[in-house]
Each structure stands twice: as structure tokens, then as C-alpha cells.
Amino acid sequence: MIREVCALGRAEFERPSTAEGDPDAGRVLVQGLQAIDPSGEPSDISLSLALLAPRAPCFDQLVLDAIAAGVPQVVNLGAGYDDRALRFRHSGVTFLDLDLPDIVGDKARRLQAIGTDTAPLALAAVDFHTDDVAEVLARAGHDAHRPTLFLAEHLALFLEPGEVASLLAGLSGRAAAGSTLAITAEVHPADLDSDLVVSTVDDVMFGGAGPLHTIQSRDAWLALFERTGWRIDNADEVTAVNHFEVTVADRPTQIQTQFLTATA
């Protein structure tokens, strides 16, 4: 449902495109797509627009900046129905979208149906819970000797902390000089225990069956980047949007989505 909500939400916005790009591809790509909630009812995407409103432009600009800087590869992790490979099509730049096999298969069918130019785009199936992302990238044709912009938008939250660490380490092993990783990180106040925060969110918001697994303090995120081969150049600069509030240890607690970029 999250993939569909994000795709349908992005299609509501006016967004930039490159001279070679297709600004309408995103809307066409999601025609007929529905976001169905766990009860089987259509999800109200308006609830997600407030989060997407700052996030989509931020990641769009990162892609445009990378293209302008001559970065030849963009890897979109957990891409879902994202249209950036079409919207930001640019000579000499290849895009690689990774997601679950059923999502990749449906996206491939949709791309074929709309008849747009997909020459610069490759799709690769991956399960971030179990697969080695470095091996998946190698098989999909990613060139580890050329700079890459890696995008992990709204992905880490749904992975276990150990899986996030494996993902970041795998990416750093494929990151040539000049590569950048951009990620959304869910952040709680520094004086709270991460396990307590996650279990409380699970109990309060999802009745014990929650999909959200990695919420950490900012310092823990910065330490994780360093351990896995990434450097945050402006660690004191915080770009964030409030995601949700939950009561943890008898106090209202704001969980933020912070936008972090790091270099290899």
C-alpha cells in the first residue's frame, strides 16, 4: 500500500523534469493504480500528501543536482512506481530501480503499456530483508567504478536495524568516488531507547503487527553511516519533517523523518 500511496501522491504535484524527460509519465504510469489499506478499503492518500510535499521535491532536486554534476548512474532503492527515471531522462545517465519481484513485474508491464522510452532504465528484483544488494546491483549492470546517486526514500523504516546496516554497507562497497547516498531516516529524541520507541509505535499504532522497525536517535544514525563506510558532510544541518507523534514513557514524542545525504 505504501508504494501505491507514494506514487499516487507524487502524481498530484507539479514537479520539474529534464529537457529529455517526460513530465507526464508519472501520471500515466499510475493510471488505474489503487492503494488498498489492510481492511480492503481504498486508502486516503491525502493523509500522506503532507509528508510527500517536502520529500518529493528534496529527492527530485538531488537527482537534478547529480545530473548537473555529471553523475552517470542513479540507483533507486525500493523505487516502487517512482517515475524519476522517465521524468529526469538525460543523455549519458542510466537509472536502476530496485524493488520486490511483484512490484518490478507490474511496473515493467505498465511501462510497456504506456510505450515510453525506457532505454536508460533497468529494473531489478530484490528482497531487502534477505538479498545482498551489492550482488543484485552487480547482476543488474551497475558499474561500481563510476559515481552513483543512491536513493533510499522511505525504505529504511520498514527494515530491521541489522538489515539497514547490511544495506548501507553493501552500497558503500559499490560506491565509487563521487557517489552519494540520500536516505530518509526516522528519528526519535536522543534520550529515548530505540527498542522502546519501536515497540510502543507497534503497540499503539498497529496493535502489535506493525511494519515499522528502524527508528533511532540522530546520533545513532550518524554512527551507523560511519560504521558502514559513509560520511555525513554537514552533520549539524538538520532537514526534517514531522512524521507522527506517539506517547512513549508517558510523554508525547515526535518522530521525525530526516533527510540525510552522505558520501562514500
Side-chain angles (χ1 to χ4, degrees), residues 102-146:
D102 60 326
I103 302 298
V104 165
D106 187 45
K107 187 172 186 176
R109 288 189 291 272
R110 289 173 174 273
L111 289 169
Q112 185 177 24
I114 66 178
T116 190
D117 177 16
T118 59
L121 170 62
L123 303 177
V126 64
D127 185 337
F128 291 108
H129 298 294
T130 58
D131 292 342
D132 183 329
V133 70
E135 293 181 358
V136 173
L137 289 171
R139 290 196 301 268
H142 174 257
D143 188 344
H145 301 291
R146 305 179 76 199

Side-chain angles (χ1 to χ4, degrees), residues 4 19 54 79 98 116 128 133 153 178 204 224:
E4 288 82 356
L98 276 64
T116 190
F128 291 108
V133 70
E153 180 184 359
V204 172
L224 174 60

Side-chain angles (χ1 to χ4, degrees), residues 62 65-66 69-75 137 142-151 168 170-182 225 229-233 260-264:
L62 287 167
D65 290 346
V71 174
Q73 301 177 111
V74 179
V75 171
L137 289 171
H142 174 257
D143 188 344
H145 301 291
R146 305 179 76 199
T148 304
L149 171 63
F150 297 98
L151 303 176
L168 298 188
L171 295 177
S172 69
R174 303 280 314 171
S179 295
T180 299
L181 169 64
F225 273 76
W230 295 97
R231 182 181 70 249
I232 304 288
D233 293 323
L260 302 178
T261 56
T263 53

Side-chain angles (χ1 to χ4, degrees), residues 33 58 76-77 112 125 145 151 155 184 198 200 206-207 217 260:
L33 191 69
C58 177
N76 198 337
L77 304 148
Q112 185 177 24
H145 301 291
L151 303 176
L155 172 64
T184 53
V198 171
T200 302
F206 300 100
S217 69
L260 302 178

